[in-house]
Amino acid sequence: MGSAFVRWVRRRKRVLLALAGALALLYAWARWGPMDPLFRAPCSTVLYDRDGRLLGASVADDGQWRFPPPDRVPERFATCLIQFEDRHFLEHHGVRVQSLARAFRQNRRAGRVVSGGSTLTMQVARLSRRGAARSYGSKVVEALMALRIELRTEKSDILTLFAANAPFGGNVVGLDAAAWRYFGRPAEQLSWSESATLAVLPNAPSTLYPGKGQEALRAKRDRLLDRLLAVHAIDSLEWSLAQEEPLPDRARPLPQLAPHLLTTLKRTGHAGRRVRTTIDAHLQERAVAATDRYASRLQANEVHNAAAIVLDTRTGEVLAYVGNLSSAGRDHAGDVDIIRARRSTGSVLKPFLYADMLQSGELLPDMLVADVPTQYEGFAPRNFDEHFNGAVPASEALARSLNVPAVRALRKHGVDRTLRTLHALGLRSIDRTPDSYGLSLIVGGAESTLWELSGAYASLGRTLLFHGRGGLPFPVHGPVVVQADTLQAAGTDAGPLPLSAGAVHFTLKALRDVNRPADEQGWTQFAGQERIAWKTGTSYGHRDAWAIGVTDRYCVGVWTGNASGEGRPGLTGTLAAAPLLFDLFGLLPDGRGFDMPYDDLVRAPLCPMSGHRASADCPRADTTWVPREGLRTPACPYHRRILVDAAHRHRVPAGNGELVAWFVLPPAMELYYAPRVPGYAPLPPWADGTTGSDDLPMEVLYPPYGTRLLIPLRLDGQRGSAVVEAAHRDIRAIVHWDLDGTYLGSTIGEHRMALSPPDGPHRLTLTDGDGRILRHAFTVVSADHDASLPHVP
C-alpha cells in the first residue's frame, strides 16, 4: 500500500511538473515568442486641417472606409462597448471561462450558435483572422491569441484595436469611420445615444446598421442605455434625452474640402495615414466657394479649369488649397491637381530677374531701359500690345510686363545666372539647360507649377520680414502643407538668401505702386489699400493665365485655363486670373506692409529723367534710397552739355550762346519715346545747317555691331535671307543702303532690308537725306554652318 502510494505521488508530481513546464513554455511563447502584427488591412488616407478638423478621406484599397487606428478610444464609447460586449473586460486576462461555459450550454440547448462567449480580446483575435471559419477549434485558437494579446498589450490599446477594426455595417470599418459616416463628426464629439448606437453595431454588422433593421437597432441601443443607467454611467436626465435621439437613417458622405490635396498626398508617400495639414478649414471652405462662384465667368469663355493657393508669407504654410474647379468633371480633367501641374510661366518670372539685376548692380529701380524693335539670332520679342515705348523706367516695364525690355535684360544678365537664382528660390521644375531655354525663358519659355511659383513669391516677402533678424526660423523656399514637415523644418538653417532685401523691396514696390494699364485700374486702388504686390502672366497662345500677389501676411496664387492646353481668346492674367486673386485677398485680413530694409539701402543722387545716378551734366538730382549695389551702376548717359541760342531752338558754335544740359536719347529710343512723351525735346539743329560729329541720327537695331548675322536655309535647301533693321530719329527721313560698296536700295519710315550676302565679314553703310553716314560691321554665318539654326519656309 505504501509503495503504491509513493508511485502515485511520483506520477502526480511528474504530471504536475510537466504541466508546470508546459504552462511555463506557453507563457514564454505568449509573452516573448515572435508574433506578427495582428492587422495588415489597408487604411484610408485621412486629411485634417491645422486644428484637427476633417478635410476629407479616401476609401482604402480594399474598398472599405477604414481610418488608421486612433491614439485612444473616447471614454463614452469605451464605456458603452464594455457594458455591451464584455462587462468583465477590466478583470479577466483575455479569456473568461464562465462566459465560454455559459455560451456552450446555451448553444447546445438551442441547437445552433446563439452566443459566442468571447471576450473583447478574443474578438480582437477573431477580427485579425479575417476569413477564418467559426468553430470550436477556431475558438481555441482565439483564446490562445487572446492570452498572448493580454500579456503584451494594455487594456486601453486592446480597446483601440477593436475600435479600429470592428465592422460597423456596409463598407464601414472602425469607430472613426463610423462616427463620420453615420453622424458627420469625430468620435470624441458623439453623445451617449450615438456612442451606444455604434457600440451595438459590431455584434451583427450585416443585419443591423443605419438604414437597415432600424427598429431592432433602436431596441438594442435602448437596452444598452438602460444598462448604462443601471450601472450609474449616466443619470436619469441623460438617459431620457438619449432615448429621444433619433437614429441615423443612412450613411453620410464624408467632407471633401480638399480632394486634390488628398490625392496628391496619397501619391507622395502619405497613403494610409492620418495627415495633419497646415490648411485652415474655414478659409478652405471660403476659398473653394469663391473659386466655384468664379467658374461661371470662366465657363462663359469655355475655360473649364482653375486652381488657387493661399500661403502664410511668414512661414510658407499652405492655408488654402483649391486644386481644380469642382465643376470641371471628368470631361475637363477635373481630377487633375493643377497646383502641382507644370504650365508655361508666361511673365511671372520677370520680378525675379528684375530683383537679381538690382542686387547685381546692373540696374536701378527707375532706370530707363530700351523698348525698341529687338532681334537676337532670329528671336524677336514683342510686347503684348504690339507697341514700343522707346524708353521706359525699369519699374514700369516690370509692372506693365513689357516683354522687349525683359528679354533685353535677360540677355544682359545671362540665362545661366538667372536660372541659378530661380533654382535657389525653389523653382525646381525649371530644369532644362540654359541653351534649351534661351531668351524665351523670361516670356513663357519655361514651365513651372503654381505650387513652386507661389512659394517663390512668398519667399520674396519672407526675405523682407526676416531681414536683419539673424536667420530665418523657416525655410526660405517652398510651401509646406504637412504639419510634420513644418515642425521638422522649424529652426533649421535656411541657408543664404538668394536675393537681397534691398532688391526685393524695390521689386515688390514696383509691383504695388506703379500705375497699371487702363484695364487693371479697377484693382489698383484695392491692391493699394491691401498693400498687395501682384503680378499677372499669360502664356503663348492664351493657354495659361496667372496672377500671384503677396503681402506681409499672405501670398495668393491663381491659375486659370484648360487642363487640355486649349487656348481661348481673352484668357489673360489680367482678365481671367486677377479678379479671382482679389476675390481671395478679400477673404483675408489686411496686411500692414513691409518695413523698409534701411540697412540694405543707401541714399544716392539720381537723375529724375533717366533714373540713373546723376552725372555732372544732369541739371537736377533727387537724392533717394537705392539698393547698396546700385552705386555700381553707370551715371546718366543721356544728359549732355550743348551751346544753344537765346531761344533754345538752335545749337551754335563754341564761344557763342548759352551752355545748357539737354536730354538726348539714342535714335531708336527717341523714335518711339518722343511721340508718347510730349515734354521730350529733340536735339536742336545747328543754326548754320551744319552737323556735328555727335549728331548721328541713325543706329542699326539688328544685327548689333560686330556680331554675326545668321542666314537660314529654306525648306528647298536654298539659301534664305535675313532682315537687317535700322532706326532714324526723323520718321520721315530717307535712308540709302550700301553693302560692301554695292547699293541695295532706299527706305523711308520703317527701315528694314532683307539681305543674303555670302558668309564672312561685311560692312553696311547707311546714308540719310542730309548726307549723314553710319558704318556698321557684322559677320554673316549661314545655317548650314550652324546646326542649331532652324530651316524657314
Side-chain angles (χ1 to χ4, degrees), residues 633-704:
T633 59
C636 175
Y638 304 127
H639 274 108
R640 65 186 189 185
R641 299 282 178 173
I642 61 173
L643 284 169
V644 296
D645 59 17
H648 290 198
R649 293 181 178 176
H650 296 89
R651 279 182 287 174
V652 296
N656 300 306
E658 177 185 354
L659 187 64
V660 298
W662 208 275
F663 185 70
V664 184
L665 292 173
M669 294 172 68
E670 180 180 296
L671 178 65
Y672 295 96
Y673 182 82
R676 55 181 289 270
V677 182
Y680 179 80
L683 196 65
W686 288 90
D688 58 3
T690 62
T691 61
S693 60
D694 60 348
D695 293 348
L696 196 61
M698 295 176 288
E699 67 175 307
V700 174
L701 298 176
Y702 180 78

Side-chain angles (χ1 to χ4, degrees), residues 418-428 459 476-477 496-498:
T418 304
L419 282 174
R420 286 198 296 270
T421 299
L422 297 178
H423 293 161
L425 286 164
L427 298 174
R428 304 297 182 187
S459 291
V476 179
H477 328 302
L497 299 174

Side-chain angles (χ1 to χ4, degrees), residues 95 174 390 442 465 596 601 706 737 741 791:
V95 177
I442 207 65
L465 289 174
M596 283 189 67
L601 307 176
W737 296 64
H791 292 273

Side-chain angles (χ1 to χ4, degrees), residues 143-178:
L144 292 174
M145 290 182 65
L147 293 173
R148 299 192 77 185
I149 293 170
E150 288 278 347
L151 285 172
R152 295 167 180 253
T153 312
E154 297 290 337
K155 288 286 187 180
S156 60
D157 294 332
I158 295 173
L159 285 177
T160 300
L161 286 172
F162 180 88
N165 295 280
F168 284 82
N171 66 338
V172 180
V173 176
L175 171 64
D176 286 348

Side-chain angles (χ1 to χ4, degrees), residues 216-249:
L217 177 58
R218 177 182 292 277
K220 275 193 172 185
R221 181 203 68 176
D222 291 348
R223 284 198 300 271
L224 177 54
L225 291 174
D226 293 342
R227 173 66 184 173
L228 295 175
L229 177 64
V231 298
H232 306 293
I234 57 176
D235 59 30
S236 58
L237 177 59
E238 290 174 314
W239 171 83
S240 176
L241 293 174
Q243 293 269 354
E244 295 299 321
E245 286 190 30
L247 293 175
D249 57 1

